[in-house]
Amino acid sequence: MVKSMQTAALKYAYFIHAAYQVSEQSPLQEEYPVFPAGYTLVYNIHMKDPGKGKGGLTYCGFLAKSNFSPDTSVTYVLALKGTNNYLDWVDTLDILPSPGPFGNNSGNVVSGFLDIYNHMTFSDPGQFKPKGLLKYIRYSIRYTDMQSDDDVQPMVCTGHGLGGAMATLFAAGDAYTLHPCRSYTYGSPCVGDPAFVSFYNALITTSERYYNLPDLVPTILDAFGYDHVHSGIPLDSLGDPALNWLPDCTHSLNTYMYLLGASPSVINSNCLISDIDDDVMIKKLSFRRRY
């Protein structure tokens, strides 16, 4: 069971990995250095970038659609990456609570995350001009495409870091207005208070939230009254003596992918310890005990 869960989690982590490889703001399908096999790009996703002035946007992911097959139903995947620097959003984040916009019982969510989410947009491939707000993206897809003949929800929401927080908000809103998606997040911070968590957990039945034990991001908002959705699935990069324990490495999506079973080639070279001596091991084991 655990192995099958990790297989699905690794599959959807590769979607986010494809988003991280993009350097252009409005890529065409062929401008993605890598793209998940068996899927076609539908829209690119952007978020508001305060550093670019009014109306400034920055690329943060995509919506993909599975290619037609007579044997399987259509699946859409919303993949959202985090920021290039894993804590870019922390300094300016408004951590005060705001009422969840998903109904009277949706609790409170982090104001800063809600503001980012409310300004996220989607656009056609090759176009930078927004076509609409991300939270309404379902209405731009043919509703008949969203039907499923079995119990598998036809939409998957996946995100890493800040993108995980945005995927969680999208999943909550989508479940409240239409029907729930399947959710896979990696290294996501807390998004809302316990009331929001209860609201989310009651609606989203397939939700796998992976966190690396030494990753700082999942715990960064714990002290402010916020909590995580569903029980998380722990990973532990400190259990591998070859992996660096620096914060940007413990939070890296590549590290999560490796811990989920990807080839060691996905690990960034600066996140590997090339020469492991006794002194390094003592320091690493000492660090591990603090977690």
Side-chain angles (χ1 to χ4, degrees):
M1 177 65 177
V2 172
K3 186 174 181 180
S4 63
M5 288 172 59
Q6 291 189 345
T7 299
L10 180 58
K11 171 185 176 179
Y12 294 117
Y14 270 107
F15 281 77
I16 309 170
H17 182 260
Y20 270 115
Q21 310 311 306
V22 170
S23 58
E24 298 294 327
Q25 288 295 305
S26 301
L28 299 169
Q29 169 73 47
E30 60 268 20
E31 289 176 339
Y32 275 80
V34 293
F35 202 80
Y39 286 80
T40 299
L41 178 67
V42 180
Y43 297 121
N44 289 306
I45 314 299
H46 299 82
M47 68 171 59
K48 185 178 179 181
D49 187 347
K52 295 186 177 182
K54 186 177 181 180
L57 298 171
T58 185
Y59 170 86
C60 63
F62 58 83
L63 179 71
K65 177 182 178 181
S66 61
N67 296 337
F68 175 77
S69 169
D71 301 321
T72 58
S73 57
V74 172
T75 301
Y76 286 85
V77 179
L78 176 68
L80 301 174
K81 71 182 187 71
T83 52
N84 291 328
N85 183 324
Y86 77 106
L87 289 181
D88 270 347
W89 47 270
V90 171
D91 288 341
T92 58
L93 183 71
D94 181 355
I95 62 172
L96 293 175
S98 287
F102 314 119
N104 295 332
N105 299 317
S106 58
N108 295 310
V109 297
V110 180
S111 293
F113 290 156
L114 183 60
D115 182 62
I116 295 171
Y117 173 70
N118 282 335
H119 289 89
M120 292 180 72
T121 59
F122 65 95
S123 62
D124 288 318
Q127 301 295 319
F128 191 59
K129 183 178 179 180
K131 187 170 183 175
L133 293 174
L134 173 64
K135 57 187 176 183
Y136 302 131
I137 198 170
R138 274 280 187 102
Y139 299 105
S140 71
I141 303 168
R142 287 177 54 208
Y143 188 74
T144 53
D145 283 349
M146 299 307 301
Q147 303 303 311
S148 179
D149 295 331
D150 51 29
D151 293 330
V152 176
Q153 296 94 333
M155 174 78 89
V156 173
C157 308
T158 185
H160 170 247
L162 178 61
M166 298 301 105
T168 299
L169 287 172
F170 180 88
D174 222 32
Y176 178 65
T177 56
L178 290 167
H179 45 252
C181 65
R182 288 172 281 158
S183 176
Y184 299 84
T185 64
Y186 316 85
S188 173
C190 297
V191 174
D193 64 8
F196 169 78
V197 170
S198 296
F199 169 82
Y200 178 96
N201 290 354
L203 290 175
I204 311 295
T205 56
T206 303
S207 179
E208 297 179 18
R209 178 180 58 82
Y210 291 85
Y211 65 97
N212 186 13
L213 289 174
D215 185 356
L216 300 176
V217 174
T219 62
I220 206 164
L221 293 174
D222 286 7
F224 300 99
Y226 298 111
D227 205 352
H228 278 294
V229 297
H230 283 288
S231 298
I233 303 169
L235 304 172
D236 186 7
S237 62
L238 295 175
D240 190 320
L243 294 181
N244 202 315
W245 61 90
L246 296 176
D248 58 340
C249 293
T250 57
H251 181 63
S252 169
L253 176 68
N254 298 61
T255 298
Y256 276 86
M257 292 169 65
Y258 171 73
L259 294 173
L260 287 167
S263 165
S265 62
V266 304
I267 298 293
N268 297 328
S269 59
N270 62 336
C271 289
L272 291 173
I273 300 174
S274 56
D275 297 314
I276 303 175
D277 55 28
D278 291 341
D279 183 54
V280 168
M281 284 303 300
I282 289 171
K283 289 178 180 177
K284 186 163 186 177
L285 290 172
S286 175
F287 180 88
R288 185 179 184 183
R289 279 196 291 272
R290 294 200 290 273
Y291 289 88

